[in-house]
Amino acid sequence: MKKLSVSDIKVVVAGPEHKHLAEAIVDEMAESAKARGTGIAKRSPDYIRQKMDEGKAIIAITKAGDFAGFCYIESWSHGKYVANSGLIVAPDFRQYGLATKIKEKAFELSRKKFPDAKLFGLTTSAAVMKINSELGYRPAHYTELTNDETFWKGCSSCINYEILKSKDRKMCMCTAMVYDPEEKKKKKWDFITESKLWERWQRIKNHKLLKSLGKGSDKVLIFLGLAEGLK
């Protein structure tokens, strides 16, 4: 593939003209989840096309019309909560800072469409946490998220779903983050300063959650690099 520059890739609100890319987007979502070893709410091409028709999706696309990245907006509890979901960047385009650009555009669109809503997300990615923190998100307890059953049903495709159920949806491997417009004048959560503390807490939390599963969890712990000192 010819070497591209940032100017060759546009990050825009997706529309009907992008609907032919829905299949490629869904396929990349599945591959991305598989590579990370975590789940992602499974969506059909028709669902992605619907989001494009509604103007509730962000797409990164090259001048040649190739799909480079994507994210969509979902609202819950009658618009009181909003999530930017399904963030992906195609492997050939991961050196252009597109994840940040897509998240920024999705955040802007979410605030425009739902100015009074709390924005939230669940992630295991330190990179996504850094992006979110720059946008004004902070770590949050799961009880601060929507209680909409449809949202939580989306977690059922994740390999960690049994952990979530066993903890009554109060804790899991993901970190919850929230942007509350009522708090926007307060100091941002400083990811750079506090990331080491978060990493330590995340390792301890994941260790305890996986050990609580009992037999069969040791292999997962080893895979995640959490098995040291278990014996």
Side-chain angles (χ1 to χ4, degrees):
M1 189 180 84
K2 182 181 177 182
K3 182 71 174 178
L4 300 175
S5 67
V6 175
S7 62
D8 292 317
I9 305 173
K10 297 186 297 182
V11 179
V12 299
V13 177
E17 67 273 22
H18 301 119
K19 289 165 69 172
H20 65 286
L21 296 170
E23 294 277 359
I25 291 169
V26 169
D27 289 345
E28 185 53 46
M29 284 180 174
E31 286 301 313
S32 179
K34 183 178 178 180
R36 290 198 308 268
T38 58
I40 189 170
K42 293 180 180 179
R43 298 303 184 194
S44 68
D46 283 343
Y47 184 86
I48 298 303
R49 294 185 190 105
Q50 177 186 333
K51 287 297 177 183
M52 292 175 174
D53 280 335
E54 294 172 347
K56 294 181 180 178
I58 301 298
I59 193 167
I61 192 166
T62 68
K63 288 182 178 179
D66 297 319
F67 152 70
F70 186 76
C71 182
Y72 61 90
I73 294 173
E74 291 183 300
S75 61
W76 314 95
S77 304
H78 306 289
K80 293 181 181 179
Y81 294 87
V82 170
N84 300 152
S85 303
L87 174 65
I88 50 166
V89 176
D92 288 340
F93 303 98
R94 289 178 183 169
Q95 67 269 44
Y96 302 101
L98 287 183
T100 298
K101 295 179 185 298
I102 293 169
K103 283 285 289 185
E104 289 173 346
K105 195 75 172 178
F107 179 82
E108 177 186 316
L109 183 62
S110 299
R111 296 286 294 126
K112 181 178 179 180
K113 286 186 172 291
F114 302 94
D116 299 321
K118 286 185 178 181
L119 276 61
F120 73 96
L122 292 169
T123 184
T124 57
S125 168
V128 172
M129 287 191 71
K130 183 178 185 299
I131 296 170
N132 284 349
S133 68
E134 289 300 314
L135 293 172
Y137 287 71
R138 60 169 174 77
H141 194 278
Y142 278 38
T143 56
E144 292 187 60
L145 310 184
T146 179
N147 58 9
D148 193 310
E149 292 296 330
T150 308
F151 168 76
W152 293 104
K153 185 178 179 180
C155 292
S156 62
S157 60
C158 180
I159 61 172
N160 299 317
Y161 187 56
E162 290 304 315
I163 298 176
L164 181 68
K165 287 200 303 181
S166 71
K167 299 301 178 183
D168 297 322
R169 299 195 315 212
K170 295 178 181 178
M171 184 180 291
C172 198
M173 307 296 280
C174 286
T175 294
M177 297 193 76
V178 167
Y179 172 90
D180 187 341
E182 295 297 320
E183 301 174 353
K184 62 183 179 180
K185 293 183 180 179
K186 295 183 180 181
K187 184 180 178 181
K188 290 183 180 179
W189 180 70
D190 190 341
F191 176 85
I192 298 299
T193 301
E194 301 179 35
S195 61
K196 293 297 181 183
L197 181 62
W198 170 78
E199 288 173 4
R200 182 172 180 274
W201 174 81
Q202 187 77 2
R203 286 174 65 87
I204 293 171
K205 181 191 75 169
N206 291 354
H207 183 155
K208 290 182 178 296
L209 286 173
L210 287 168
K211 287 297 287 183
S212 71
L213 294 180
K215 292 183 179 180
S217 64
D218 284 354
K219 290 183 179 179
V220 182
L221 288 165
I222 292 169
F223 174 76
L224 294 174
L226 299 171
E228 184 179 354
L230 290 185
K231 295 181 180 180

